[in-house]
Structure formats: structure tokens, C-alpha cells
């Protein structure tokens, strides 16, 4: 692991700007596994801004962009990468706390690039870059890349603004989560002024379901289980019962989370021998710590991990860890009261 420069401000330090400031060069915009809108929107926004300054930019990562995000301007440039061709002046990773989430591409990027720039807002970021800009106060990496483009005096085109607006939109649950700050709205306002269209983004994200998708969604939601006096709810999807593309396009974990009494919500998705787990909290239990027990990570209120199957065994282990966290949170007196 490299021990590069660490910057933590809301605006990018000189060390962050230095590798991007010149006119022209070769840049790699490297995404992590299963890239979401915060990853793709920021990589595309920064890449498009560099291209406008004469840079040649390669966009990609271990997995392709999901069809649900096919509306992001420039996303057709983002490719699945197995190996990297040529040399780069800078490789940029956004929203990627753990270099292992690149499935080995980070090692290639290190060899091929003069500078690895790590831009992230996750508390468990491993600081694997030559330059690491970690702003825990940012609701999305989209806010950070907005500040970066401002500092670089890059023009905010409608395409760039749409990418950044979508990044902020999705990481804040459409501006609903506790990570939203006045700055989030200031940045969103600037992005809309620059040409991002909120109605277009909302429709593209939430109103492009196939005709039979709601029937399928209804069937999936029937599987939700609630326990522990309503404080824990989960949804488990075996690999044979559901279509992966539908699961990918729905934030399913938000449904168990939406129950009033729920403190921790879980989604279990069986994928072959592995089970992908999404965890959501509402502020009183740190779900990132639970995910970390299983080698995963994330934020206090939104985290995930991948654990070995079969599904029932994965659920047993993770739900036990969630119950331990809930019991700790409740404290001994409340716990004994509940036991009466
Ligand atoms: P989601 O549940 O939407 O996949 O992810 C929620 C948050 O947890 C995101 O910030 C994401 O980066 C993180 N996360 C999800 N899965 C994993 C994982 O397997 N490993 C790590 N380190 N973080 C994860
Ligand atoms: Mn993010």
C-alpha cells in the first residue's frame, strides 16, 4: 500500500490539483466492482472536463456500467477492462474505499500511471493512492468532484452537470438521507443552473420499469421478514427466484428500511456461491462496523459486504451480528426490560 499525501478538506488541496491542472495528457478513470451512479457520474464528469482540455481519457473498471445508468452522458465510453493499455499521466479512482474492489486493476494502474489519485468520502478508505483526498463530510463523491472542477476552473457543461447531479441524487437517496447538508443543496442548485434536469434524472432513475416489473417487485416484497420487536427487517432473494437485472435496478433494501420501527434493514442477494449483503441503518447502529466484521465496508448508515453462501448460512451469520449490534445499542437496562 502506498502512503501518499492525505488531504481532507472540502476543497481540493494543491496536491490534488497538480496532476490534473495541465492541458493535455492521458488519464485513466478507474471504477470499482458494480459501479454505481456516484462512481460513474464522477468519473465521467472529471473525464469529460479533462477531454475538453485536450486530454485523452480511458474510462472503465472490472464490471460494465449497469443498464439502469445508461442515461449518464458519456457512459457508452465506460468499458469493462481486463488489462490496461499504455501509460497514463494520472489514474483517478472515485468512491472506492478499498483497492481490492478493483479486482486487481489497481496494481496495473499503479504500474502504468505516474500518479494514482484517490477521491472518496468513505470513512474506511485505505488511502491507497499517491494522493488521497478523503472528505467524510461530503454526501457523495459527486460533491467533491464538483469542488474539484470548480478549482480547476473547468466549464460545467450540461453533460458534466447531469453526471454530478445524478451522483449526488443517488447517494443521498434523492436528497432524503442524513448525509444531506446545506452544501449538498448549494451544489445541486449550481448543477441545475448548469443544465442538469432534476425531472429527467428522476424519470431515468425511477420511472423506466418494465410493464411486469411491479408484479415481480410485489412478489419480492412478500418475502420481507420483520423481527426483534420490529427493529430488524430483511429481504432474502435466492439466486433462482429473481432476475438479476431487476434486482440491480431497484434499491430493494429501502423497503424493509421504510418500516417505522426498523433500526437495521438487510438485503441478501444470492449470487452463485456468494451472498451480497446490503445493510442500512437509521443513525443509531453503525452498520459499517457490522459489514466490516465480514470484510465489507461503507458508511455509518449504508454499508455492504459479500459473504460465503449458502444463503441460509450467510443470513444466520449476518443477522446474528446485527442482533449483537442492536443489543449493544439498546444497552443492558433496556435489554433486560425487553426480556421481561
Ligand atoms: P450497497 O448496499 O448499495 O451495495 O452499498 C452501500 C455502501 O456499502 C456503499 O457505500 C458501498 O461502497 C458499500 N459496500 C457495499 N458492498 C460492499 C462490499 O462488499 N465491500 C465494501 N468494502 N463496501 C461495500
Ligand atoms: Mn458514494
Amino acid at each position: 500500500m502506498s502512503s501518499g499525501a492525505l488531504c481532507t478538506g472540502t476543497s481540493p488541496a494543491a496536491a490534488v490539483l497538480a496532476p490534473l491542472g495541465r492541458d493535455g495528457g492521458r488519464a485513466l478513470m478507474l471504477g470499482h466492482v458494480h459501479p454505481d451512479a456516484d462512481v460513474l457520474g464522477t468519473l465521467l464528469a472529471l473525464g469529460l472536463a479533462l477531454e475538453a482540455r485536450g486530454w485523452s481519457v480511458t474510462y472503465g473498471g472490472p464490471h460494465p456500467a449497469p443498464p439502469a445508468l445508461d442515461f449518464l452522458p458519456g457512459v457508452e465510453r465506460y468499458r469493462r477492462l481486463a488489462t490496461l493499455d499504455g501509460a497514463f499521466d494520472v489514474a483517478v479512482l472515485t468512491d472506492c474505499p478499498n483497492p481490492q474492489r478493483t479486482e486487481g486493476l489497481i496494481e496495473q494502474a499503479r504500474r502504468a500511471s505516474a500518479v494514482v489519485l484517490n477521491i472518496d468520502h468513505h470513512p474506511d478508505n485505505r488511502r491507497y493512492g499517491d494522493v488521497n483526498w478523503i472528505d467524510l463530510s461530503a454526501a457523495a463523491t459527486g460533491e467533491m468532484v464538483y469542488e474539484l472542477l470548480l478549482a480547476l476552473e473547468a466549464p460545467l457543461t450540461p453533460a458534466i452537470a447531469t453526471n454530478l447531479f445524478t451522483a449526488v441524487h443517488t447517494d443521498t437517496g434523492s436528497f432524503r438521507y442524513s448525509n444531506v447538508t446545506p452544501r449538498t443543496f448549494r451544489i445541486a442548485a449550481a448543477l441545475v443552473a448548469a443544465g442538469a434536469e432534476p425531472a429527467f434524472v428522476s424519470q431515468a432513475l425511477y420511472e423506466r420499469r418494465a410493464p411486469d416489473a411491479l408484479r415481480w417487485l410485489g412478489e419480492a416484497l412478500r418475502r420481507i421478514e420483520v423481527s426483534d420487536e420490529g427493529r430488524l427487517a430483511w429481504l432474502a432473494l435466492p439466486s433462482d427466484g429473481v432476475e438479476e437485472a431487476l434486482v440491480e435496478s431497484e434499491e430493494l433494501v429501502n423497503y424493509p428500511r421504510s418500516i417505522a420501527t426498523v433500526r437495521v434493514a438487510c438485503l441478501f442477494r444470492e449470487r452463485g456461491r456468494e451472498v451480497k449483503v446490503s445493510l442500512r441503518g437509521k443513525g443509531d447502529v453503525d452498520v459499517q462496523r457490522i459489514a466490516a466484521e465480514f470484510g465489507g465496508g461503507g458508511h455509518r448508515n449504508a454499508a455492504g459486504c459479500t459473504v460465503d453462501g449458502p444463503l441460509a448460512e450467510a443470513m444466520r451469520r449476518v443477522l446474528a451480528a446485527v442482533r449483537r449490534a442492536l443489543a449493544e445499542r439498546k444497552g443492558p437496562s433496556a435489554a433486560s426490560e425487553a426480556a421481561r
Side-chain angles (χ1 to χ4, degrees):
M1 197 122 316
S2 55
S3 53
L6 173 66
C7 321
T8 56
T10 52
S11 296
V16 179
L17 299 174
L20 304 166
R22 64 199 180 106
D23 286 338
R26 288 197 76 209
L28 171 66
M29 299 289 137
L30 181 57
H32 65 57
V33 289
H34 303 293
D36 67 11
D38 196 26
V39 178
L40 292 169
T42 49
L43 291 179
L44 291 165
L46 179 55
L48 292 173
L50 291 176
E51 284 178 17
R53 296 214 161 148
W55 286 64
S56 139
V57 182
T58 299
Y59 306 83
H63 295 146
L69 297 176
D70 62 3
F71 67 94
L72 293 176
V75 74
E76 67 284 350
R77 305 273 308 279
Y78 189 94
R79 293 180 292 129
R80 180 177 207 149
L81 295 173
T83 53
L84 300 177
D85 292 331
F88 301 97
D89 298 296
V90 62
V92 182
L93 293 94
T94 55
D95 204 41
C96 178
N98 187 332
Q100 285 175 356
R101 305 202 83 211
T102 64
E103 297 199 336
L105 287 169
I106 182 77
E107 278 75 29
Q108 290 189 53
R110 277 206 185 95
R111 286 194 293 274
S113 314
V115 179
V116 172
L117 177 55
N118 165 17
I119 302 175
D120 189 23
H121 66 138
H122 286 90
D124 58 343
N125 189 285
R126 308 287 169 91
R127 300 170 188 184
Y128 51 83
D130 299 308
V131 180
N132 304 282
W133 179 24
I134 318 294
D135 177 7
L136 302 188
S137 74
T141 316
E143 292 187 4
M144 302 174 70
V145 171
Y146 169 81
E147 302 281 4
L148 178 57
L149 297 188
L150 219 58
L152 289 169
E153 296 178 7
L156 281 182
T157 63
I160 289 173
T162 301
N163 275 305
L164 292 180
F165 185 81
T166 309
V168 176
H169 195 283
T170 53
D171 259 32
T172 58
S174 312
F175 305 94
R176 286 178 299 134
Y177 297 153
S178 56
N179 56 359
V180 173
T181 65
R183 176 163 77 125
T184 310
F185 285 110
R186 279 199 293 272
I187 290 175
L191 293 172
V192 173
E197 291 180 30
F200 166 78
V201 172
S202 300
Q203 281 171 24
L205 286 171
Y206 308 122
E207 297 179 1
R208 290 198 297 159
R209 287 187 172 109
D212 60 349
L214 288 181
R215 214 178 307 280
W216 170 83
L217 186 60
E219 263 155 43
L221 296 184
R222 289 160 74 108
R223 298 171 188 258
I224 290 178
E225 298 199 46
V226 185
S227 78
D228 297 64
E229 301 106 47
R231 291 181 305 145
L232 171 57
W234 67 89
L235 171 54
L237 299 172
S239 50
D240 54 5
V242 282
E243 202 179 307
E244 191 65 25
L246 276 169
V247 179
E248 292 290 342
S249 63
E250 302 283 346
E251 270 281 298
L252 286 173
V253 71
N254 283 342
Y255 291 95
R257 186 194 137 110
S258 70
I259 298 167
T261 51
V262 162
R263 309 328 298 164
V264 177
C266 318
L267 171 69
F268 298 92
R269 285 178 282 169
E270 191 178 39
R271 281 181 182 164
R273 288 182 194 181
E274 290 184 331
V275 178
K276 172 83 184 76
V277 185
S278 290
L279 300 169
R280 296 294 184 270
K282 290 182 182 171
D284 31 17
V285 172
D286 184 349
V287 295
Q288 186 222 316
R289 280 179 55 191
I290 302 172
E293 285 183 43
F294 298 93
H299 304 274
R300 184 181 169 84
N301 287 333
C305 54
T306 304
V307 298
D308 291 337
L311 182 59
E313 175 61 14
M315 289 171 60
R316 191 189 62 72
R317 290 172 59 210
V318 174
L319 291 176
V322 174
R323 289 190 170 108
R324 277 196 301 276
L326 281 168
E328 255 173 53
R329 177 66 193 93
K330 235 179 164 184
S333 57
S336 59
E337 199 171 297
R340 279 209 313 257

